[in-house]
Amino acid sequence: MIVKMTKIRIMGPKALLPPVTDLLHNLGMVHIESRPPDVQEIDEILLRRFSIEAPALHTKDSLETLLEQVKKVLLLLPAPTAESPSAAVGAPSDGTDRFFIEAGLKIESLVARVDQLVRKKKVCADELSVLERYGKILQALSPLISQVRESRDLDYLGIAIRMKEKEVIPLLEQAMVRITQNQYEIFYAPVDAEVLAALLVFPKESDAQVKSLLWEENIGELRLPSSIMNKPLGEAFKIILRKRQDLPRRILSVDRELSALSRRWYLSLVELRAWLENKISQILVSASFYETKMTFVIYGWAPTRDLGSLRQRLTERFGGRVVIDPVPVDEREQGRIPVCLKNPPWLRPFERFTKILPLPKYGTIDPTPYLAVFFPLFFGMIIGDIGYGALLIIASRIARRRFRDNPSVQDFASIFIAASVSSIVWGVLYGEFFGDLGGRLGLHPILMNRMESFLPNLFLALAFGVAHILLGIGLGIFTAVKHRRRREIIAKLSGLVLIAGSLVMTAGLVGFLPRPAVTAGLVLMIISISSMIIGGGASALMEIHNLVNILSYLRLMGIGVASAALAFAANKLGSLAGNVVLGILIGSILHALNLIFGIFSPTIQSLRLHYVEFFENFFQGGGLEYKPFKKTTLERSA
């Protein structure tokens, strides 16, 4: 649900502003209002925006400079794998210039050392990456180099030829005969099944012509790194091979030093980062305060239920010198009331789906409880299999255990546990356990057999569609009544009558009701459309779209039957394999594919039915997020 908010005003002597700011920061309850409309209308001589003084601005600049250095070090250092003693950078008790100077020197020295190590590692890694490209070819050419007599008059080139282009070799040799007057040698060595390495030896005066030939024939020349390009080929290859062994050791040495620095400094730096962020936020937030000659005034929003606790803490700390009062909310401020979603623990994971969209406006409806009910219901209705549901529960519980420190994984695992339980319940109703395997084990459908009962399945999907859409319209009417939007009330009530009329007419057409029901339903539809136009305007005709929206719920049947059919096919193909092991393998692969589709497709379709068909009847997005002025904690900053 959306937490009820109260606009508040906190006032007191200007001398108490620092401790009041610090208390509010610690409590983390108040969403500071930066530009309340009523303040803008007050004579600036009486109440003016608080101005940050030069010393505070200087302190803020110093803090921000230090914070940037701390962030840089934390980005470069690897996170420690275990707790260990950490050198104290120290968060000051008084925030003096001496602290900034000492901490700045420590951090500056640490940044320089870490930066040096990171650059050294990058140089080694880049060089190793370049050398690795020569790996296989070097190994192939190394034995050939020992066969070659090095001379100042000879030049050497390594080349790589693809096996599928071997026909270029005779042409290459003919061209070498012509260019070098038959004064050349060529040695071959296979690199792998696809590449052949070759070493060309020829007089230095033919170097330009040979390289031009290789370029024309699109033959890859082995270009040595610039640091050893001018070395004799044999010596160059030895240097490369030696570096390929030495560079990983140098990289490992750098990693060890970085890890040692991380164990020594990381946790202390995280603590310092949190302290710096908090001090900077305290200075910046003061720009949203107001003042007179003798007093300060803070405007903001707080949850109504926390107002008593907030008043009590201010009274305990400052007695009657600091007062807090609720302030009437101006009509112009409705769009600025911050929105905070607060649901019971079992509903809270579903806020992940709600927050995919913009927050609902204050004073409207939080859709989270409805998502928590209908998402698992629709998901389970589509999968509808005991076996698949059980596997999803196991996978979700493993994910929760494996990623205990990841809130997102925890929430989504909880969602899919609920959806999997729904899948098992629907599987019992359908009599499905890995498709028709349940029937072979004596399991019988209670509600229907999805592969045979087409019409009952269709009517069930439409019934859920009607119920879901009618609920959405009902919530829309509730919101419209709450905000006294007469035209919207008429439009949505007419929409209800329209759906009722269409249901009566359809029931008459298919024989569920007497034939006169067709006429009665048609009359209701005409009356509802007329009232939409007269009472709600032309835009109200969008309510007619709900009739089409109801048909969208047929996807619950269609995708569900497709899943059941694939499970049935997996069992059938497995039984036709003629071999028990092969049959189990085929069936398992097909069931695994079906389960993967069964995770993504029902999730997407269930959310679509909410976001598109259901929400459009009542959901109003664009709410301003509730961001209380509170301290950065180590957990958040780490």
Side-chain angles (χ1 to χ4, degrees):
M1 68 175 182
I2 298 176
V3 175
K4 186 178 180 182
M5 290 285 173
T6 297
K7 184 179 178 182
I8 60 172
R9 178 175 54 210
I10 302 172
M11 296 183 294
K14 286 175 69 172
L16 293 180
L17 181 57
V20 169
T21 303
D22 192 57
L23 178 62
L24 294 179
H25 209 186
N26 285 323
L27 294 177
M29 294 181 185
V30 181
H31 177 105
I32 303 297
E33 175 65 79
S34 58
R35 294 181 64 84
D38 58 337
V39 170
Q40 297 172 39
E41 298 174 357
I42 297 177
D43 190 344
E44 291 188 2
I45 296 176
L46 298 177
L47 189 63
R48 62 186 180 275
R49 186 178 289 278
F50 189 87
S51 58
I52 304 176
E53 297 178 354
L57 289 173
H58 174 71
T59 299
K60 179 182 77 71
D61 292 341
S62 300
L63 289 168
E64 288 177 339
T65 301
L66 188 55
L67 178 61
E68 287 304 312
Q69 290 181 315
V70 171
K71 285 182 176 179
K72 181 177 181 180
V73 179
L74 287 172
L75 282 174
L76 295 176
L77 283 177
T81 54
E83 289 191 16
S84 57
S86 181
V89 175
S93 57
D94 54 1
T96 58
D97 287 341
R98 181 179 178 183
F99 160 74
F100 298 130
I101 294 171
E102 292 178 354
L105 290 174
K106 286 183 181 180
I107 300 301
E108 189 176 345
S109 173
L110 184 60
V111 168
R113 182 55 184 157
V114 172
D115 216 12
Q116 180 186 29
L117 289 170
V118 170
R119 283 201 305 271
K120 181 179 178 182
K121 179 180 177 180
K122 185 177 186 305
V123 169
C124 292
D126 289 345
E127 189 173 0
L128 182 61
S129 176
V130 171
L131 297 181
E132 287 295 338
R133 286 183 292 182
Y134 301 101
K136 291 184 178 180
I137 295 177
L138 286 175
Q139 290 177 0
L141 291 180
S142 292
L144 304 180
I145 295 171
S146 61
Q147 303 175 31
V148 178
R149 179 178 57 83
E150 294 189 359
S151 168
R152 295 183 179 274
D153 299 325
L154 297 178
D155 206 348
Y156 311 86
L157 278 179
I159 61 175
I161 303 171
R162 294 184 179 277
M163 288 295 189
K164 61 182 180 182
E165 298 172 355
K166 284 177 63 176
E167 63 274 6
V168 77
I169 293 177
L171 299 177
L172 174 64
E173 293 181 349
Q174 292 174 18
M176 290 295 295
V177 169
R178 175 174 50 82
I179 291 172
T180 66
Q181 304 298 321
N182 202 26
Q183 295 181 8
Y184 81 97
E185 284 189 88
I186 184 167
F187 302 88
Y188 298 102
V191 177
D192 51 36
E194 297 182 0
V195 178
L196 180 70
L199 182 66
L200 293 175
V201 185
F202 52 87
K204 279 187 181 292
E205 59 266 20
S206 303
D207 181 73
Q209 292 174 290
V210 171
K211 289 183 177 179
S212 175
L213 169 66
L214 296 178
W215 183 83
E216 289 173 2
E217 297 297 333
N218 196 26
I219 297 174
E221 176 188 348
L222 183 63
R223 297 184 179 276
L224 298 177
S226 57
S227 60
I228 54 175
M229 186 176 291
N230 297 322
K231 300 280 186 184
L233 191 63
E235 183 182 345
F237 275 23
K238 290 175 183 176
I239 292 173
I240 290 174
L241 292 172
R242 185 169 64 251
K243 282 190 172 185
R244 286 184 65 206
Q245 295 176 347
D246 182 55
L247 286 172
R249 289 196 293 267
R250 290 164 64 184
I251 292 172
L252 182 60
S253 174
V254 171
D255 283 337
R256 285 173 178 165
E257 188 169 350
L258 285 172
S259 296
L261 287 172
S262 177
R263 287 192 299 271
R264 184 182 177 195
W265 292 98
Y266 196 92
L267 297 179
S268 184
L269 289 170
V270 167
E271 182 181 354
L272 179 61
R273 181 177 65 179
W275 182 87
L276 289 168
E277 289 174 346
N278 290 327
K279 294 301 290 185
I280 292 169
S281 69
Q282 282 193 15
I283 296 172
L284 292 176
V285 80
S286 64
S288 299
F289 298 164
Y290 294 85
E291 63 179 343
T292 65
K293 210 171 221 184
M294 305 294 293
T295 63
F296 70 85
V297 182
I298 300 174
Y299 287 88
W301 302 88
T304 304
R305 66 186 178 204
D306 294 336
L307 204 55
S309 173
L310 180 59
R311 181 178 286 110
Q312 181 182 351
R313 294 296 298 273
L314 286 169
T315 302
E316 288 175 355
R317 179 79 180 273
F318 306 105
R321 292 178 296 168
V322 176
V323 296
I324 177 171
D325 296 313
V327 179
V329 179
D330 189 277
E331 184 65 29
R332 294 166 297 173
E333 295 182 274
Q334 291 297 323
R336 295 186 58 82
I337 303 177
V339 175
C340 174
L341 301 182
K342 188 70 173 178
N343 289 291
W346 66 275
L347 284 178
R348 210 163 294 149
F350 290 90
E351 289 180 6
R352 297 281 179 180
F353 288 154
T354 300
K355 291 178 180 177
I356 290 176
L357 300 177
L359 283 172
K361 284 185 179 179
Y362 186 83
T364 62
I365 294 173
D366 174 15
T368 304
Y370 306 100
L371 271 165
V373 172
F374 285 99
F375 176 82
L377 182 67
F378 293 161
F379 185 98
M381 185 177 177
I382 292 173
I383 292 186
D385 190 286
I386 299 172
Y388 291 163
L391 289 179
L392 285 175
I393 286 178
I394 294 170
S396 299
R397 291 187 68 85
I398 291 173
R400 288 192 65 173
R401 199 174 298 115
R402 174 69 177 80
F403 300 97
R404 291 177 182 173
D405 298 328
N406 190 319
S408 298
V409 174
Q410 292 291 306
D411 286 345
F412 282 114
S414 298
I415 290 171
F416 281 102
I417 286 174
S420 302
V421 170
S422 173
S423 302
I424 292 174
V425 173
W426 280 102
V428 173
L429 295 176
Y430 293 147
E432 294 182 22
F433 178 79
F434 293 112
D436 64 338
L437 189 61
R440 303 179 190 182
L441 300 175
L443 186 65
H444 300 290
I446 298 173
L447 183 63
M448 70 177 79
N449 185 322
R450 285 196 290 180
M451 296 292 293
E452 299 174 358
S453 306
F454 176 78
L455 284 179
N457 204 352
L458 183 146
F459 291 144
L460 181 65
L462 289 177
F464 275 113
V466 170
H468 208 217
I469 294 296
L470 289 179
L471 175 61
I473 295 173
L475 294 173
I477 293 172
F478 173 80
T479 303
V481 169
K482 182 178 178 180
H483 294 280
R484 300 178 183 177
R485 298 172 185 154
R486 186 182 64 83
R487 294 168 69 88
E488 188 176 336
I489 294 170
I490 294 173
K492 292 199 173 293
L493 285 173
S494 300
L496 278 178
V497 176
L498 177 65
I499 292 175
S502 65
L503 290 175
V504 170
M505 186 179 73
T506 304
L509 288 172
V510 299
F512 283 172
L513 291 177
R515 197 65 183 176
V518 177
T519 305
L522 186 58
V523 169
L524 283 174
M525 293 177 70
I526 294 172
I527 292 173
S528 66
I529 293 173
S530 301
S531 65
M532 279 182 197
I533 298 172
I534 296 170
S539 61
L541 288 174
M542 288 298 295
E543 296 293 326
I544 298 176
H545 191 247
N546 277 319
L547 293 177
V548 179
N549 287 347
I550 290 173
L551 296 178
S552 291
Y553 287 79
L554 289 174
R555 68 188 68 238
L556 295 174
M557 177 198 74
I559 299 172
V561 170
S563 176
L566 185 53
F568 175 84
N571 295 334
K572 188 69 174 176
L573 290 173
S575 63
L576 294 175
N579 181 289
V580 175
V581 176
L582 182 60
I584 292 174
L585 180 62
I586 292 172
S588 299
I589 292 173
L590 292 176
H591 279 300
L593 290 173
N594 195 20
L595 183 59
I596 293 171
F597 293 140
I599 294 173
F600 291 103
S601 186
T603 299
I604 293 169
Q605 298 304 331
S606 298
L607 289 176
R608 183 197 183 282
L609 290 174
H610 283 85
Y611 293 156
V612 179
E613 279 77 16
F614 181 56
F615 280 15
E616 76 171 23
N617 287 297
F618 71 94
F619 183 77
Q620 298 178 34
L624 179 69
E625 184 181 0
Y626 169 64
K627 294 181 178 178
F629 175 53
K630 64 179 179 179
K631 287 192 172 182
T632 300
T633 63
L634 292 182
E635 290 74 22
R636 286 177 57 209
S637 63

